[in-house]
């Protein structure tokens, strides 16, 4: 497949520049087998139809995000990398360049978690893509994936990916826990469930806020309107559902914008509480006025 067109979206949070970059878009079939594994195909199809979405296919995008604080250029997640390029993804670096950034300008790479669509862009041809960067991740996440005990389990593929993409960079990596700071104004929040050490981030500048929710919700309708529907990619499904409700309750209550890694591009929006879940309200001109 040909590379997908470069898509980027930039806005300000206080004095921080935020640029969301599309790494690509993957189309898959049978939405229920990914986003409603404890539901019937009919129940999932009904909710999709009510939201004007096809019932036999779905699109899943990947949205790494750059935050430019003025003194640091911080990249959150790295997309699919070279492994995704045959399928049209792996467009992060092309997108960064279109937005005016080079990989060498990145001073910090934050990994929200270590699934392949988040760590794939760390290395290119066996060399670090962001050669001047230090790295930040959750300790539990790194420890889980690097552990040789993953061999022979369903996590073996992820383990091998971390050995290839993350372990070579480990000497430049530090770990952040709940409430820990990446740089001034950027704070980690534990959001475990999707993966064992999945972290999300609060960005604060000039009295404005933004939450990067990473994979707390994986589908803008199915995972938000029905937060209890089980998602194939959530490794601890009970914890992931509890985290979804905690995080999106907070975002709704505080009326904060958020970037969701798998929300439809530009992956930025707000949350309204519904009777049994949430409605994704895509951004429009809130950052332009
Ligand atoms: Zn993901």
């Amino acid at each position: 497949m040909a590379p997908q067109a470069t898509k980027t979206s930039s806005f300000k949070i206080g004095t921080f520049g935020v640029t969301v970059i599309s790494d690509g878009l993957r189309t898959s079939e049978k939405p229920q087998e990914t986003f409603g594994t404890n539901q019937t195909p009919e129940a999932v199809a009904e909710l999709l139809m009510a939201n004007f979405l096809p019932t036999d296919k779905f699109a899943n995008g990947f949205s790494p995000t750059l935050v430019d604080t003025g003194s640091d250029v911080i990249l959150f997640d790295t997309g699919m990398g070279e492994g995704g390029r045959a399928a049209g993804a792996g467009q992060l670096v092309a997108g960064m360049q279109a937005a005016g950034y080079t990989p060498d300008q990145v001073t910090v790479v934050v990994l929200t978690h270590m699934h392949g669509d988040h760590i794939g862009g760390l290395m290119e041809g066996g060399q670090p893509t962001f050669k001047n960067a230090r790295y930040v991740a959750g300790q539990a996440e790194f420890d889980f994936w690097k552990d040789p005990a993953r061999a022979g389990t369903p996590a073996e593929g992820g383990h091998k990916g971390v050995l290839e993409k993350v372990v070579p960079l480990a000497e430049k990596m530090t770990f952040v826990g709940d409430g820990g700071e990446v740089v001034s104004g950027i704070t980690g929040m534990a959001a475990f469930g999707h993966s064992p050490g999945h972290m999300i981030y609060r960005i604060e500048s000039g009295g404005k806020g933004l939450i990067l929710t990473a994979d707390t919700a994986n589908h803008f309708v199915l995972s938000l309107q029905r937060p209890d529907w089980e998602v194939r990619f959530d490794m601890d499904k009970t914890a992931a559902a509890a985290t979804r409700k905690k995080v999106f309750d907070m975002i709704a209550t505080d009326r904060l914008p958020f970037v969701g890694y798998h929300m439809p591009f530009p992956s930025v929006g707000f949350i309204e509480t519904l009777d049994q879940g949430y409605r994704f309200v895509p951004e429009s001109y809130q950052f332009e006025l």
Side-chain angles (χ1 to χ4, degrees), residues 60-62 77 112-113 115-118 194 214-215 218 233 261-262:
N60 194 9
F62 315 102
D77 294 331
T112 62
H113 64 298
H115 285 163
D117 54 324
H118 298 256
H194 177 70
D215 285 21
N218 278 294
F233 307 128
Y261 192 79
H262 297 293

Side-chain angles (χ1 to χ4, degrees), residues 29-50:
E29 301 191 342
K30 300 188 176 160
Q32 176 266 335
E33 293 182 6
T34 295
F35 299 112
T37 56
N38 59 342
Q39 299 298 312
T40 63
E42 292 74 21
V44 174
E46 190 182 338
L47 188 61
L48 287 167
M49 269 191 287

